[in-house]
Amino acid sequence: MAHPTSEKHSVKICHVCRSARFYYLFSISDHRVVRCDDCGLVFLNPQPSNAELGRIYSADYFLGSESEAGRQAVSDLKQATARFYLSEIQRYYGGRKGQLLEVGCGDGDFLVSAEAAGWQITGIEYSEAACEKARQRLKHGTVRSGELQAAKLPAAQFDLCVLSDVIEHVRSPLDFLREIHRVLKPGGALFIATPASDSWSARLMRQKWMEFKPEHLTYFDRQNLQTALFNSGFSEIIVQPGWKILNFDYIKLHFQRFPVSLVTPVLNLLAHLLPRQTQFKQRRIVASGMMVFARKSELHPQAVLSVIVPAFNEVKTFSALMDTLLRKELPALQIEIIVVESNSTDGTREAVLKYRDHARVKLILEEQPRGKGHAVRAGLKAATGDYILIQDADLEYDLEDYDGLLEPLVAGRAAFVLGSRHGGRNVWKMRQFTGQHGLSLFVNFGHWFFTTLINVLFFQRLRDPFTMFKVFRRDCLYALEFECDRFDFDFELLIKLLRKGYQPIELPVNYRSRSFKEGKKVRMFRDPLTWLKALTRLRCAKIDPMNVVEQSFAANQAEKTKG
Ligand SMILES: [Zn+2]
């Protein structure tokens, strides 16, 4: 749709989740900043007109300084940041080099570094003046002026696409990401650097955050950028803090150009006090941004839910559960059922084997029981769906809840959902075991104690972290390693997802608790101790997905050399 150049663009639905529910936050100069109620995306609405943006992106937008020496200093910093980005990309993508596309390449600081590192490069840049400068600096690469969609690049051409401080500028980020998806080769990688509206500087400075500018049309956070990527066909996503190489002088000049009360005067004062050498020393700083790595995945014609059913000595309920599960239909989702049976002694294995020829059922038969955690982990490894749900082989939970729990995932509003047994209006719906009042009290106290402990240790406000109903995108598991075998796996899964940065939403579910007589497998005194130990260990454990990816390349390499 062609807009007259002077007309502001009004946004009718959220760029990420297509919700129409957004509310006004505040204004920057005369631009309204709104927030999506469903996915938390912050964006300008209406967006500035083409004429306004044209004035902002005038010829000196990329210069950053008036003097040649100043421009050189800025270029040095940008190239240092580019080399850092390239080394992080190598950790994620391995040592291979191929075709690289940078959209919004400015006057080519990243491209120069990428070319030197061995990539064959293509740049696209909106400003013709910046394009010309970039062309002069490159040996072989091509730089095209204009916008990505207008360039009409051939499909499946690039191994890597780089968007450094770009996605916040485009009018329609999802269309933009889909175009990137189209031009990437299968398995091609995407690197994004962009401001994060949940970064420390954004939390601290709020409306005065330095990233709020009329030309920044969209402000992602770690959750909704991942959702945006997932919705446009990317997976294996890793989010890291957005390091940049800067020096004091650059930061001071930035805040002189875009003054912020308190910050600008303090920096000006420091400029008089600090020795000159210190002011120009390069430092790695994480301020307002995030770095995101993702890979192109194939878009499924229909999304798939993998339901993992660990079954051990559950003969009384297993078949009833399976039959309900097989009858279950979900709009817009296929169901794949993965049963992990751990050599039960009560006939569960025979009951499980009856489903072996069913097209939608995969059986994993363990030779010996090694704990529920071990069984679930085996199931997770075999799962191929877009979403994962873990279903105990008893009838404590209601399968009718699937629809509600999956809705925010399928609608692209969330990555991780917990079904809360104690939420909603019925706050007193705790565990009640008939005729066992003391036991109820003890178990409820334990629930309260461990919930509080998790909330304190991991900065959460969860009501029911121990629910069986943990539903999430399978991609959330990427580059996480699990080792717990028993009931402590429930903790491990939850906490590693939290620590990787996923913020669960909690929705109320139906629930009927089993008493111990009916076969509850938690051992009263031993398990709480295991849980305490597990929690302490998980609080201290190092969660470093990028390192896991890097190690897997190293392992593959070692394997090849050996073979
Ligand atoms: Zn939204």
Side-chain angles (χ1 to χ4, degrees):
M1 193 171 45
H3 286 260
T5 53
S6 61
E7 194 179 293
K8 289 181 186 290
H9 294 215
S10 109
V11 181
K12 305 281 187 230
I13 53 168
C14 169
H15 300 293
V16 170
C17 74
R18 308 185 62 80
S19 161
R21 304 193 307 144
F22 23 86
Y23 56 91
Y24 171 78
L25 289 179
F26 56 86
S27 290
I28 36 166
S29 45
D30 59 345
H31 301 279
R32 297 169 79 247
V33 180
V34 301
R35 184 173 192 275
C36 171
D37 206 25
D38 286 312
C39 75
L41 188 75
V42 175
F43 53 96
L44 299 192
N45 194 22
Q47 296 177 341
S49 68
N50 289 351
E52 282 172 272
L53 290 180
R55 279 195 296 279
I56 294 168
Y57 299 129
S58 58
D60 65 350
Y61 186 77
F62 297 97
L63 298 183
S65 172
E66 276 147 26
S67 71
E68 188 51 47
R71 285 199 283 274
Q72 188 55 47
V74 171
S75 176
D76 288 347
L77 290 173
K78 286 191 172 168
Q79 286 191 49
T81 301
R83 286 191 294 276
F84 171 68
Y85 285 169
L86 284 164
S87 71
E88 289 297 294
I89 289 167
Q90 180 164 337
R91 293 178 71 196
Y92 178 76
Y93 189 66
R96 292 158 292 160
K97 304 286 189 304
Q99 293 288 340
L100 181 154
L101 170 70
E102 186 187 16
V103 184
C105 61
D107 50 21
D109 287 300
F110 181 87
L111 291 182
V112 168
S113 307
E115 193 172 57
W119 289 90
Q120 290 148 291
I121 55 166
T122 303
I124 293 187
E125 169 53 50
Y126 182 77
S127 147
E128 179 53 46
C131 276
E132 197 38 54
K133 194 151 177 233
R135 285 183 198 119
Q136 287 165 13
R137 298 169 70 189
L138 294 167
K139 292 199 188 81
H140 306 289
T142 47
V143 182
R144 306 169 63 156
S145 73
E147 295 193 4
L148 171 67
Q149 279 94 333
K152 301 218 179 322
L153 297 168
Q157 198 189 359
F158 295 97
D159 300 276
L160 169 67
C161 178
V162 173
L163 307 175
S164 175
D165 299 323
V166 166
I167 195 156
E168 64 274 22
H169 293 263
V170 305
R171 289 206 184 271
S172 174
L174 246 72
D175 290 339
F176 186 76
L177 287 174
R178 288 196 186 102
E179 177 63 5
I180 299 282
H181 185 274
R182 190 183 68 80
V183 302
L184 277 173
K185 292 179 186 169
L190 169 61
F191 170 80
I192 299 177
T194 187
S197 63
D198 55 350
S199 60
W200 68 265
S201 64
R203 288 167 196 266
L204 190 73
M205 298 166 82
R206 293 166 177 260
Q207 297 185 26
K208 305 230 183 271
W209 192 35
M210 60 277 197
E211 301 292 349
F212 283 127
K213 306 174 191 180
E215 68 270 34
H216 286 179
L217 309 181
T218 314
Y219 305 83
F220 290 94
D221 65 20
R222 286 175 297 170
Q223 312 291 317
N224 52 41
L225 182 53
Q226 292 194 65
T227 300
L229 284 166
F230 182 80
N231 291 352
S232 39
F234 290 90
S235 62
E236 305 192 347
I237 303 164
I238 290 184
V239 182
Q240 303 271 60
W243 296 94
K244 287 196 175 188
I245 315 289
L246 299 174
N247 62 24
F248 175 81
D249 188 62
Y250 180 89
I251 298 169
K252 179 196 78 186
L253 289 173
H254 178 94
F255 280 99
Q256 283 175 350
R257 198 173 162 200
F258 307 101
V260 172
S261 55
L262 274 176
V263 181
T264 307
V266 169
L267 289 172
N268 284 338
L269 180 68
L270 282 173
H272 291 289
L273 300 175
L274 291 171
R276 203 180 142 71
Q277 217 180 350
T278 317
Q279 297 192 26
F280 286 91
K281 190 170 162 46
Q282 292 189 355
R283 290 163 206 281
R284 223 174 83 177
I285 291 170
V286 58
S288 58
M290 57 183 157
M291 303 189 295
V292 184
F293 305 80
R295 266 188 202 91
K296 172 174 176 166
S297 59
E298 289 317 306
L299 295 161
H300 291 176
Q302 195 183 13
V304 177
L305 167 72
S306 299
V307 179
I308 295 168
V309 184
F312 179 59
N313 289 347
E314 301 275 4
V315 75
K316 277 192 201 137
T317 50
F318 179 79
S319 301
L321 170 84
M322 279 302 278
D323 296 340
T324 324
L325 201 48
L326 284 167
R327 275 198 307 273
K328 181 80 198 166
E329 279 183 17
L330 290 162
L333 277 179
Q334 279 184 343
I335 304 181
E336 155 192 87
I337 302 168
I338 299 170
V339 180
V340 189
E341 200 284 330
S342 311
N343 212 358
S344 311
T345 50
D346 69 343
T348 306
R349 172 153 290 191
E350 290 67 32
V352 165
L353 286 174
K354 285 184 194 144
Y355 297 90
R356 72 174 352 152
D357 294 325
H358 203 288
R360 280 160 52 205
V361 180
K362 267 190 209 170
L363 298 188
I364 298 175
L365 302 174
E366 295 194 306
E367 283 181 18
Q368 50 171 326
R370 296 176 64 183
K372 183 186 158 193
H374 193 270
V376 173
R377 279 164 47 204
L380 289 176
K381 263 198 195 126
T384 60
D386 304 85
Y387 309 103
I388 302 267
L389 187 154
I390 299 164
Q391 170 69 57
D392 289 350
D394 56 40
L395 298 169
E396 272 196 330
Y397 291 81
D398 193 336
L399 270 59
E400 291 307 308
D401 286 323
Y402 282 17
D403 304 69
L405 292 172
L406 284 156
E407 194 272 335
L409 295 177
V410 176
R413 291 200 306 272
F416 182 16
V417 175
L418 294 173
S420 171
R421 294 164 293 181
H422 315 305
R425 271 161 286 173
N426 189 356
V427 286
W428 294 108
K429 195 164 119 191
M430 303 287 274
R431 286 160 196 268
Q432 282 159 3
F433 306 123
T434 12
Q436 295 174 294
H437 190 70
L439 186 63
S440 304
L441 213 63
F442 182 75
V443 172
N444 286 337
F445 171 77
H447 186 277
W448 172 85
F449 174 80
F450 279 103
T451 301
T452 309
L453 191 62
I454 285 191
N455 285 338
V456 170
L457 286 177
F458 302 99
F459 315 110
Q460 298 295 320
R461 267 192 245 161
L462 301 174
R463 281 188 295 203
D464 185 16
F466 311 110
T467 171
M468 173 204 78
F469 271 143
K470 299 182 181 72
V471 192
F472 49 88
R473 294 201 292 252
R474 184 165 64 91
D475 190 56
C476 299
L477 298 172
Y478 177 64
L480 283 179
E481 288 175 321
F482 297 99
E483 54 206 27
C484 294
D485 279 340
R486 287 176 41 74
F487 285 91
D488 50 2
F489 175 75
D490 271 352
F491 277 1
E492 188 183 27
L493 178 64
L494 171 77
I495 285 160
K496 290 196 170 164
L497 289 174
L498 292 177
R499 288 196 56 198
K500 196 179 167 195
Y502 297 105
Q503 189 66 53
I505 56 173
E506 286 187 298
L507 298 174
V509 291
N510 299 307
Y511 170 73
R512 184 190 75 87
S513 86
R514 282 199 294 180
S515 73
F516 288 83
K517 280 182 205 150
E518 287 174 74
K520 203 158 192 70
K521 290 198 200 89
V522 181
R523 268 169 277 173
M524 286 273 22
F525 294 100
R526 194 177 138 187
D527 281 323
L529 278 180
T530 328
W531 294 346
L532 263 185
K533 266 195 264 173
L535 277 182
T536 318
R537 208 177 54 235
L538 289 164
R539 178 62 268 180
C540 305
K542 198 170 172 226
I543 308 279
D544 186 353
M546 193 57 110
N547 192 42
V548 173
V549 177
E550 198 179 12
Q551 294 305 320
S552 75
F553 282 122
N556 281 349
Q557 200 56 42
E559 196 67 23
K560 265 191 211 145
T561 343
K562 230 167 68 188

